[in-house]
Structure formats: structure tokens, C-alpha cells
Amino acid sequence: MIDDFITLLSAAFVLIGAFFALVASIGLLRLPDLYSRMHAASKAGTMGSGLMLIALAVHAADSGVFARALAGVVFFLLTAPISAHLLAKAAYAVGYRLGPSAVRDEMAGQDTENPR
Amino acid sequence: MSLFLVNVLLALAWAAVTGSFTFLNLAFGFVLAMGTLSLIREQVGSVGYFSRARRVISLFLLFIYELILSAWRVATLVLSPRMDLKPGIFAYPLKVDRDFEITLLANLITLTPGTLSVDVSSDRRTLYVHAIDASNPEQTRRDIAEGFERKIMEAFR
Amino acid sequence: MSFAETILDYAVNIALVILSISFILTIIRIVRGPTLPDRILGLDMLVAAAIGFIAVIGIKTGYILYIDIAIALGLVGFLATVAFARFVLSRGKTEDELLREAKTAAEAARKKSRDEEKRVAKALKREKRLSR
């Protein structure tokens, strides 16, 4: 009974994770400008891969594997915003501007650190 | 901090006594040690430790909740047939000032619905945040100030 | 095979199909660009999809060791994105600026070669006159 429950749980995690990965890539394709696309990749993408890792750990039902999967998920949650932030900062510093649909840009002409 | 150390030592002692150093047993020992410390919290003065632990945990839970919400928000936005976005960058005045807290806040902002931190001004007073819906920056600013920033200040001050 | 395992089997196959579609969509974005950061973002997303792929294949085959590969791939992907971001910063120019520079350079080169041609033609004419 408990085994069946664990199997169903990991099946659900796999499906939800795959769904979020799909959403992230559709967002990458449909959203209008670079900075909006980053939203899709950094949130839905992380969520998708993290959920699928957890599904593998749940399926394995082994405490060592579970600890490693948890460490991996925490690692992804820490690094995904950092890489998105670095890329956005670099792109903005170099001069890639917001898309035509942008309504405001309070950063224009502001004094920001620019380590080149 | 020293109480945290005591907590870890008690967990190690539990693992040594039961003779198995698996992750699950260590975690169980940690929870047990926490329970023990909470029983004698009046005597050893660990009341602050427990309220702080509760606040850190509530920050963590808030974060998980916001992450799920934000992934869901992105999903509905992306899958809706007509996207009319009003993206933009707005400035957010920081109240936290330590590097560690700014980093944590920037990371949390990136993983929450519709916002992505882009840069920090060189005087560390302003955070530039890209929002997927920047039509009402006042509202978003208030949400961040009353959500994450307040929780971070509660947990680490 | 129990009922739950059958469901897991179906779920894994469906997930593989969905992940393949997501792979293809991401690659379309990488090919289309239009700018370098867009492509880097696509590569980052590709790594995330690959991690998902590895985890699903781990469930399908039952090799738990795949989880270490997935974590290592996540590490490498993060470092690659950081390095690419540094590259964007150190290149220091957008595609539009590069295009404009290339255009002015091409214009200058064309002008130079036209001048050169004129000079050579003049010299040839003088040569002919002298030899006559």
C-alpha cells in the first residue's frame, strides 16, 4: 500500500516537473523580450528540473539518495537566481534595452557598479 | 549560535547511542535534541533560539509557497492565448544593508512571482527589479517590503 | 506489475515526450536568437531540461547513480552560464553596434578599393602613353 503510494507520488512529480519544463520552453519562445524570457527560464525551469530530481529520489526510497537529491534541489534554487541575475546585469550593462512593450525603466542613466 | 552547536552535538550523541549515522537518523536526532532543548528553554535561556528558529522556518515555508505560486503564475501567463504584458524595471529602496541580507533578498525576489532582480546601485541603497507587470510598481514595492524584507529582518536581526 | 507501477510507466513515457518537445522549442529559441543573451538563456534552459531528462531516465532504468550525473550537470551548467555572462560583459557591445561597426568598416574598405582601382587605372593609362 505504502509502496503504491510512493510510486504514484513519484509519477505525479515526474508529470508536474515535465509540465513546468514545457511551460518554461514555451515561455522562452513566446515572451517578447530578453528580460521577460528570463522569468520563464529562471522560475519554471528550476521548478521543473527540481521536481524531477525529487521524483527520482522518491522512487529510489533510499535516505542517501534522498539527501543528495535534496542537496541538488537546494543547489539549483541557489544558483538559478544568481545566473539569471548575472546575465541580466551583464546584458543591461552592455546596452541591451527593454523590448518595445516596456512601460517603465527606472534604471536608465542610474549609477550602478559595472565590473568590467 | 552556541545553542545551535549544542543541538548538533546532541544529535550526534543520539546517532552514536543508536549506532547508525544515516541521514534520517541524524535528522531524527536533531529533532529530538530540539525537543529536549525546548523542554529546558527557561533554564538555559534558549527562548530566543526557538523563536528565531521558528522565524527562519516560516521564511523558508513562505519561500517555497511563493516559488510554487510564481511557477504557476508564469505557466498561466505563458499558456494564455493573448499576452498583453507591461514589463519594466523599477527601483526598490533597500532597508536591509548587510551584503548577506541583500543577496538573500535579491535571490528571493528573483524566485517570486513576476519579479527578477537586475542590479544593485553602487551605494547599496537601491535594488533594480524587473517586473513582468510593472503597471503598478507601488503595489509590488509594498508587497516586497511587507513580505520578504520584513521576514528577513525578523529572522536575522 | 501492479497498477501503480503501470501508471508510473505511462507517466515516465509521457514525461519523456513532453521533455523532447521542450528540448525542441528551446533549440528553436537558440537558433532564432536574436541576441547573444537570448541564446545563453536558451542554453541554460537546455541544461535544466537535460537534468530533467536524466532524472526521468534514472526512474525508467532504475539506475539511481543517474542522480549524481544530474547534479554534476547542474554544476557545470551554472558555471557555463556565469562564464557566458562574463563573456557578454567583456565583449561589451550589442549585436546592433557590432552590425553598425561592420557596415562602416565595409563602407570604408569599399571606398578604399575604389580609390585603389582608380589609381591603378590612371597608372596603367600613363604606362600606355609612355610606351607609345
Side-chain angles (χ1 to χ4, degrees):
Chain A
M1 188 60 219
I2 190 80
D3 279 354
D4 280 358
F5 178 70
I6 283 177
T7 311
L8 287 180
L9 195 67
S10 94
F13 274 150
V14 161
L15 282 183
I16 298 171
F19 167 74
F20 276 117
L22 183 67
V23 163
S25 57
I26 292 176
L28 218 56
L29 210 56
R30 279 194 69 195
L31 289 170
D33 70 339
L34 171 67
Y35 300 94
S36 311
R37 280 174 204 146
M38 269 175 202
H39 286 274
S42 71
K43 287 167 200 144
T46 318
M47 186 89 178
S49 51
L51 275 179
M52 282 183 274
L53 264 194
I54 290 179
L56 177 55
V58 167
H59 178 71
D62 175 73
S63 66
V65 173
F66 203 81
R68 267 182 284 166
L70 222 55
V73 171
V74 169
F75 177 77
F76 294 152
L77 288 184
L78 284 181
T79 56
I82 294 174
S83 56
H85 167 72
L86 273 176
L87 194 57
K89 190 178 153 92
Y92 199 93
V94 163
Y96 293 103
R97 286 291 168 261
L98 296 169
S101 58
V103 291
R104 71 181 68 235
D105 183 2
E106 293 179 7
M107 199 169 145
Q110 293 292 325
D111 149 54
T112 52
E113 274 180 78
N114 187 7
R116 194 170 284 179
Chain B
M1 210 59 211
S2 68
L3 276 162
F4 180 72
L5 210 63
V6 170
N7 201 342
V8 170
L9 280 178
L10 283 175
L12 282 176
W14 168 261
V17 166
T18 51
S20 88
F21 278 89
T22 60
F23 171 77
L24 220 58
N25 201 30
L26 274 173
F28 182 58
F30 193 84
V31 173
L32 269 187
M34 221 164 176
T36 319
L37 281 177
S38 80
L39 279 180
I40 55 165
R41 62 182 179 277
E42 302 290 330
Q43 281 74 26
V44 294
S46 56
V47 178
Y49 174 62
F50 279 100
S51 60
R52 168 163 296 192
R54 204 177 52 239
R55 279 175 300 195
V56 171
I57 289 170
S58 89
L59 179 66
F60 181 72
L61 287 181
L62 176 71
F63 169 67
I64 296 288
Y65 171 73
E66 294 269 340
L67 177 65
I68 294 171
L69 194 70
S70 88
W72 182 248
R73 195 79 65 79
V74 169
T76 52
L77 175 76
V78 162
L79 297 181
S80 63
R82 252 180 353 99
M83 290 192 296
D84 49 338
L85 312 170
K86 299 183 185 65
I89 294 181
F90 65 87
Y92 177 75
L94 286 169
K95 277 204 282 292
V96 294
D97 50 7
R98 283 185 287 175
D99 277 356
F100 157 71
E101 289 168 343
I102 295 177
T103 312
L104 190 63
L105 183 65
N107 269 11
L108 292 179
I109 284 176
T110 297
L111 284 176
T112 52
T115 51
L116 183 119
S117 50
V118 177
D119 209 347
V120 183
S121 67
S122 47
D123 59 358
R124 272 134 219 263
R125 289 238 185 82
T126 317
L127 188 68
Y128 294 101
V129 179
H130 180 270
I132 218 162
D133 176 17
S135 54
N136 187 2
E138 283 307 320
Q139 175 69 33
T140 320
R141 264 185 218 133
R142 211 164 41 238
D143 283 352
I144 296 174
E146 282 166 12
F148 281 127
E149 197 167 38
R150 198 165 57 82
K151 290 254 178 194
I152 287 177
M153 285 172 92
E154 276 175 5
F156 296 105
R157 285 283 163 89
Chain C
M1 206 180 201
S2 75
F3 174 65
E5 276 166 18
T6 319
I7 285 189
L8 180 64
D9 212 39
Y10 276 118
V12 162
N13 285 331
I14 292 170
L16 283 179
V17 172
I18 292 177
L19 281 172
S20 309
I21 296 170
S22 131
F23 239 78
I24 292 170
L25 293 180
T26 312
I27 286 174
I28 292 174
R29 171 51 70 201
I30 294 176
V31 171
R32 263 216 264 170
T35 65
L36 179 63
D38 280 308
R39 296 198 168 95
I40 297 170
L41 198 64
L43 288 175
D44 196 35
M45 184 57 219
L46 211 58
V47 169
I51 291 169
F53 239 113
I54 292 173
V56 173
I57 289 174
I59 293 177
K60 195 177 168 68
T61 59
Y63 281 119
I64 302 306
L65 210 59
Y66 275 119
I67 202 160
D68 297 301
I69 303 174
I71 292 172
L73 184 62
L75 235 166
V76 172
F78 169 60
L79 287 183
T81 310
V82 171
F84 273 132
R86 296 300 298 184
F87 170 60
V88 168
L89 206 55
S90 72
R91 193 175 71 161
K93 282 174 192 132
T94 60
E95 271 76 7
D96 292 345
E97 286 167 3
L98 286 175
L99 201 67
R100 213 177 305 127
E101 270 176 26
K103 260 184 196 154
T104 49
E107 195 57 46
R110 209 173 296 134
K111 191 165 180 296
K112 202 174 160 203
S113 78
R114 220 181 290 131
D115 289 353
E116 190 76 4
E117 252 170 44
K118 238 178 250 170
R119 207 174 57 76
V120 169
K122 214 181 264 174
L124 272 179
K125 217 180 260 175
R126 197 183 310 139
E127 193 102 332
K128 232 184 241 170
R129 211 166 44 220
L130 284 180
S131 69
R132 219 183 292 141

